[in-house]
Amino acid sequence: MKKIYLILTFVILTILSTTTYANLPTKTETTRENLLEDAVIDLLAKPMLAAVDDYYGTTFEIGSFCERVIEIKKLHHPGSWLFETKIEFVTFTGPHNFMDIFTVTLKKDWETEGEWVMQKYNVRKYDPKEKYECRSPA
């Protein structure tokens, strides 16, 4: 009997938590451009974190937020699938412990054998007095 109550409690909590999370409001409109930007950020998360790993020596307990695409361009010719993009994000450890602002350049071309690779990155300290505008996912 205890097992049934435990299973029912778990199922109810799971349903409530996923339903609540799915209905959170966002400031970003669900436009085609914003959805595409979200997809780019999601797909390039692993190569973006290569800069964090290189800079700090680890990605353990280091998160990122406020990700946004600064620039994206085609390489070589209009019909290619070769790109270069700049993405900016803020790193943090723990709640309200913002660390640095990264600007990462990622590239996918013949030299990288069709894989997205981190080319370079710039880091500056996060200044809490600076008005830094975050873009929420759509």
Side-chain angles (χ1 to χ4, degrees), residues 79-91:
S80 75
W81 289 96
L82 310 174
F83 301 94
E84 183 176 272
T85 185
K86 277 188 188 176
I87 298 178
E88 187 174 89
F89 58 92
V90 179
T91 57

Side-chain angles (χ1 to χ4, degrees), residues 6-137:
L6 184 63
I7 291 172
L8 282 174
T9 303
F10 179 72
V11 169
I12 290 170
L13 287 175
T14 303
I15 290 171
L16 290 176
S17 67
T18 56
T19 304
T20 304
Y21 181 74
N23 293 324
L24 286 177
T26 180
K27 295 177 185 176
T28 307
E29 287 185 54
T30 309
T31 63
R32 185 174 197 279
E33 183 176 339
N34 287 335
L35 291 174
L36 289 172
E37 185 170 355
D38 289 349
V40 167
I41 291 167
D42 182 55
L43 291 169
L44 298 180
K46 189 174 180 180
M48 283 170 31
L49 290 178
V52 172
D53 188 43
D54 185 62
Y55 188 75
Y56 297 120
T58 184
T59 56
F60 183 70
E61 293 188 355
I62 298 174
S64 69
F65 75 108
C66 281
E67 297 91 348
R68 61 184 174 169
V69 175
I70 302 297
E71 176 185 27
I72 189 163
K73 62 183 177 181
K74 283 273 202 172
L75 299 176
H76 303 291
H77 58 82
S80 75
W81 289 96
L82 310 174
F83 301 94
E84 183 176 272
T85 185
K86 277 188 188 176
I87 298 178
E88 187 174 89
F89 58 92
V90 179
T91 57
F92 69 92
T93 59
H96 309 292
N97 188 15
F98 309 137
M99 296 164 41
D100 298 306
I101 300 172
F102 278 72
T103 304
V104 180
T105 302
L106 303 164
K107 190 175 180 183
K108 177 187 171 195
D109 69 357
W110 294 306
E111 294 170 7
T112 66
E113 298 177 0
E115 297 292 323
W116 282 99
V117 176
M118 187 262 307
Q119 295 294 302
K120 63 182 179 178
Y121 62 90
N122 295 319
V123 181
R124 61 184 171 97
K125 287 291 177 200
Y126 179 84
D127 182 4
K129 296 174 188 166
E130 174 188 349
K131 182 176 167 121
Y132 188 80
E133 194 169 323
C134 284
R135 178 196 169 277
S136 300

